[in-house]
Amino acid sequence: MAEEKSLNFIEEIIEKDIKDGKHTTIATRFPPEPNGYLHLGHAKSIALNFGLALKYGGKTNLRFDDTNPVTEETEYVESIKGDVKWLGFSWAQELYASDYFDQLFSYAVRLINKGLAYVDDSTSEEIANQKGTPTQAGSNSTFRNRSIEENLQLFMDMRAGKYKDGEKVLRAKIDMAHINMLMRDPILYRIKHAHHHRTGDAWCIYPMYDFAHGQSDSIENITHSICTLEFVSHRELYDWFIEKLEIYPSRQYEFARLNMTYTMMSKRKLLQLVNDKHVNGWDDPRMPTLSGVRRRGYTPEAILDFCDRIGVAKRDNLIDIGLLEFCVRDHLNKIANRRMVVFDPLKVVITNYDERLTEQLPSENNPEAAENGIRTMPFGRELWIEQEDFMEVPPKKYFRLAPGQMVRLKSAYIIKCEEVIKDINGKVLELRCTYIPESKSGSDTSGIQVKGVIHWVHAQSALPVEVRLYDRLFTTEDMGSIEDDFTNHLNPTSLEVKTVYAEPALAHAKVEECFQFLRMGYFCMDPDSNTKKLVFNRTVTLRDMWAKAGK
RNA sequence: UGACCUAUGGUGUAACGGUAACACAGCAGAUUUUGAUUCUGCUUUUCCAGGUUCGAAUCCUGGUAGGUCAACCA
């Protein structure tokens, strides 16, 4: 019963192209600039580009847009490749815009020969002034009418390193009065005596984005070049180069980038968070980077499901981060094994339980996945329960522990609170309880029905572990609308670290393994863990209707 | 004060001239040895004004609102 899923606007274009015979197969590309780590916005683009190729039997190239040597590094290339693979995609070819530097150079020469490009000695301020404004036409550069021969010679000299950075640029000769600012003689090449992460010192001139991207698409025979909305006005230039150069006509289509509540997705600002140590690196679990959410415990399946649910369209959007959390809970609920961990311990002494005795009680690893089997938990006279699970004066409908009340210890026995031990300040130190021997989980003959079920750990065998409790990084819902410094909106309590008490089975956890700590949330073992100390990151809390009700 | 893009519940997305639907969120209930999960039900929607049409979210015109564009960034 495959439910017919409606097509997004790009799929409609592709299906029409195939139906019309324009293409028999498609080729897309994912074109990151290696100047930062990939984030959830990129995941949307990756899912789209690779997903389309998979759906229509085409291919997707991974192409690094590395035309600016001063910001780009090999470290970023490696992280990007790792992230794409982690999401589960395989690229047809690993390519670099820098692979095409020779080709791009000859394209520039072709344009010069056609009288469509010229070398300009103007300073960057002069060029900016010549641009005009959106409502005001620009003016021609005084160098605009150099001869083809002179332009050719000058361009060769630029390449040969005769000039310093900023001394000259190569510009397209289009129309300084064009209504589209990008068509006002855009810069094609600039001089940068900088070391490139791949081409080393072979070049001292580098093409601009507009002169590299479309041509790279064309060289690779990309049929559908998909990018975000801010490139809409670049399309006219993209098409101009294809037309004047008479090369394979790739076509550009634009979709709305992902925006998410309480999140900021700008590589520049994420870099600042890292550099200014507001977070502990690109893979800090609070970061919206793929390496961050991975370390946080998000699964590729959850992220891809999220990308699928948010859809692809052309209007600006602000997705509720709650949807991402829904997706990860939905997946983790199915795959994560359960463990009991007490965060704020309150001692419980079972007065009628033999202190020399310890039982090993079985408990299912995951009620949603019986095949995951069971593990056993030690049970004895002294236990830890959650402070939250006891109230001396409970409100109505509180069905946890209170004086004289009964509660079920998950996978163990029903206990009754007989006595509350307090210090001189009235602080509750310990609970004296009795257990009902016939109420043993799995063989309960007591006939007692209790509404409350709580988690617990055996005091003597409890394993102290560190948990890192994350909250949203920013306190403002729409970070795109702020006008002051974004660091003013950082959440000061986005990380809380504490030591908690876990059942012994957690000792066998592996790095990146996800668990549901019963009633506390989903957690994932952090790579900081070692044999002396285990560390778990809280991926997301559980949905909690009781907390929501305000107790 | 120009050009371009966009406008559907709280948030997203669909409906392709035939009488607005799906998901998340919210609310209510059932089940539950996780106040989780699961299940059931409910609330809430076509930016405005004209026009075309038997019929408009959809087509046309004009407004309005939001976004984008003046880096030797991508």
Side-chain angles (χ1 to χ4, degrees):
Chain A
M1 300 296 109
E3 186 113 335
E4 187 92 1
K5 203 176 176 255
S6 56
L7 303 177
N8 65 48
F9 78 100
I10 294 174
E11 291 170 327
E12 284 181 353
I13 289 166
I14 291 172
E15 294 204 356
K16 183 173 186 304
D17 287 346
I18 292 172
K19 185 162 157 278
D20 293 350
K22 184 173 171 187
H23 300 296
T24 50
T25 179
I26 65 162
T28 60
R29 106 267 88 118
F30 174 61
E33 182 189 9
N35 67 345
Y37 279 58
L38 260 25
H39 54 60
L40 290 164
H42 294 108
K44 178 177 179 179
S45 175
I46 292 168
L48 216 208
N49 278 297
F50 283 90
L52 251 15
L54 249 21
K55 179 168 180 176
Y56 295 104
K59 59 160 198 172
T60 305
N61 288 338
L62 173 61
R63 185 177 69 235
F64 291 95
D65 233 328
D66 56 351
T67 57
N68 185 1
V70 304
T71 55
E72 295 153 4
E73 295 172 25
T74 305
E75 175 201 347
Y76 296 129
V77 170
E78 294 309 315
S79 76
I80 289 167
K81 286 159 65 177
D83 286 343
V84 174
K85 280 189 218 160
W86 177 67
L87 280 178
F89 295 107
S90 313
W91 47 87
Q93 297 178 82
E94 176 187 333
L95 300 165
Y96 296 79
S98 54
D99 295 340
Y100 310 133
F101 280 176
D102 282 314
Q103 177 73 266
L104 260 12
F105 183 81
S106 71
Y107 283 158
V109 169
R110 192 182 302 179
L111 244 28
I112 294 172
N113 278 321
K114 281 188 159 194
L116 293 173
Y118 61 98
V119 172
D120 194 339
D121 302 0
S122 304
T123 64
S124 73
E125 298 89 289
E126 283 165 345
I127 290 176
N129 290 332
Q130 290 160 18
K131 281 263 172 177
T133 71
T135 55
Q136 218 178 301
S139 54
N140 287 348
S141 164
T142 52
F143 301 95
R144 199 170 196 260
N145 292 316
R146 290 217 251 229
S147 68
I148 289 175
E149 293 66 34
E150 186 182 6
N151 282 321
L152 242 21
Q153 185 55 53
L154 256 18
F155 189 47
M156 295 303 166
D157 290 345
M158 278 169 66
R159 178 184 184 170
K162 281 200 179 179
Y163 307 109
K164 293 197 282 288
D165 287 11
E167 238 178 282
K168 285 183 167 48
V169 291
L170 181 74
R171 298 177 73 180
K173 193 187 226 178
I174 306 180
D175 177 5
M176 290 306 291
H178 200 108
I179 203 75
N180 182 346
M181 299 283 294
L182 288 162
M183 299 297 277
R184 321 241 264 225
D185 291 10
I187 293 171
L188 270 29
Y189 269 90
R190 76 287 214 193
I191 299 168
K192 274 180 194 278
H193 290 273
H195 188 83
H196 186 278
H197 77 114
R198 299 198 94 227
T199 59
D201 300 310
W203 295 84
C204 63
I205 59 171
Y206 292 93
M208 297 287 288
Y209 165 83
D210 285 303
F211 196 67
H213 199 104
Q215 285 85 314
S216 300
D217 286 340
S218 179
I219 291 166
E220 293 172 27
N221 280 200
I222 299 301
T223 56
H224 302 264
S225 177
I226 300 161
C227 60
T228 47
L229 248 27
E230 62 270 33
F231 292 97
V232 168
S233 54
H234 291 250
R235 191 175 60 232
E236 196 170 9
L237 225 203
Y238 184 104
D239 291 339
W240 190 87
F241 287 130
I242 283 172
E243 186 200 324
K244 301 304 179 191
L245 258 13
E246 300 173 67
I247 54 179
Y248 178 83
S250 296
R251 291 296 165 218
Q252 175 183 302
Y253 302 94
E254 312 87 13
F255 70 99
R257 70 177 332 134
L258 166 67
N259 297 299
M260 222 163 57
T261 56
Y262 303 103
T263 309
M264 205 200 41
M265 232 109 54
S266 141
K267 270 202 273 184
R268 207 196 92 241
K269 290 174 180 166
L270 293 177
L271 175 63
Q272 190 184 333
L273 288 177
V274 173
N275 286 341
D276 297 351
K277 305 269 195 282
H278 288 115
V279 295
N280 304 314
W282 284 101
D283 68 342
D284 185 299
R286 291 167 293 183
M287 291 281 272
T289 51
L290 296 181
S291 51
V293 297
R294 174 181 184 174
R295 189 164 174 185
R296 173 87 168 242
Y298 279 69
T299 58
E301 289 91 336
I303 291 165
L304 263 12
D305 180 35
F306 173 72
C307 291
D308 197 47
R309 287 169 187 266
I310 60 177
V312 176
K314 295 187 75 160
R315 62 174 148 162
D316 293 315
N317 57 77
L318 183 61
I319 309 285
D320 188 344
I321 196 169
L323 181 63
L324 212 214
E325 294 174 345
F326 166 83
C327 292
V328 74
R329 285 190 189 107
D330 193 48
H331 186 228
L332 259 20
N333 176 48
K334 296 180 184 114
I335 64 160
N337 281 343
R338 273 57 168 171
R339 292 292 181 265
M340 293 199 215
V341 180
V342 172
F343 281 47
D344 294 299
L346 173 61
K347 184 184 264 190
V348 165
V349 178
I350 315 281
T351 54
N352 59 339
Y353 196 88
D354 188 336
E355 60 186 311
R356 294 158 304 183
L357 205 60
T358 306
E359 281 182 89
Q360 292 294 332
L361 301 175
S363 188
E364 75 273 17
N365 276 323
N366 185 342
E368 309 289 323
E371 66 276 14
N372 287 20
I374 58 139
R375 87 286 186 186
T376 59
M377 292 182 61
F379 181 90
R381 190 167 197 264
E382 292 193 1
L383 311 171
W384 297 120
I385 66 165
E386 212 67 68
Q387 283 176 27
E388 269 195 346
D389 290 335
F390 170 78
M391 282 188 97
E392 203 170 5
V393 188
K396 57 276 154 215
K397 304 249 270 213
Y398 181 84
F399 38 83
R400 301 178 192 176
L401 212 50
Q405 287 203 39
M406 290 193 283
V407 79
R408 154 83 58 190
L409 296 176
K410 168 75 180 171
S411 296
Y413 300 92
I414 292 172
I415 59 169
K416 181 178 184 182
C417 178
E418 308 284 0
E419 190 188 350
V420 181
I421 315 276
K422 295 191 262 193
D423 68 12
I424 49 171
N425 299 316
K427 184 174 183 286
V428 177
L429 294 178
E430 144 181 351
L431 265 24
R432 298 272 160 152
C433 300
T434 51
Y435 84 115
I436 318 292
E438 310 79 58
S439 68
K440 187 169 180 172
S441 195
S443 55
D444 185 351
T445 55
S446 71
I448 301 170
Q449 291 300 319
V450 292
K451 198 92 196 267
V453 179
I454 65 173
H455 62 280
W456 53 276
V457 292
H458 178 52
Q460 281 77 23
S461 47
L463 175 71
V465 301
E466 176 176 311
V467 290
R468 298 177 181 170
L469 307 177
Y470 299 103
D471 197 357
R472 49 183 58 131
L473 228 202
F474 296 100
T475 51
T476 301
E477 185 170 42
D478 184 3
M479 287 298 290
S481 70
I482 63 164
E483 289 182 354
D484 56 332
D485 186 345
F486 74 96
T487 56
N488 293 340
H489 301 258
L490 280 166
N491 178 4
T493 57
S494 58
L495 169 60
E496 182 194 351
V497 179
K498 59 193 298 178
T499 297
V500 299
Y501 300 89
E503 59 165 288
L506 202 59
H508 310 297
K510 296 189 289 286
V511 170
E512 252 183 41
E513 192 176 2
C514 293
F515 296 94
Q516 182 195 110
F517 290 174
L518 228 65
R519 304 204 303 142
M520 302 308 285
Y522 291 99
F523 288 77
C524 175
M525 189 156 107
D526 191 87
D528 283 349
S529 299
N530 55 49
T531 48
K532 290 194 180 66
K533 182 176 80 172
L534 299 184
V535 179
F536 293 86
N537 296 315
R538 183 171 68 197
T539 309
V540 66
T541 58
L542 255 33
R543 207 158 153 257
D544 188 351
M545 298 302 278
W546 173 249
K548 199 166 289 176
K551 329 237 155 140

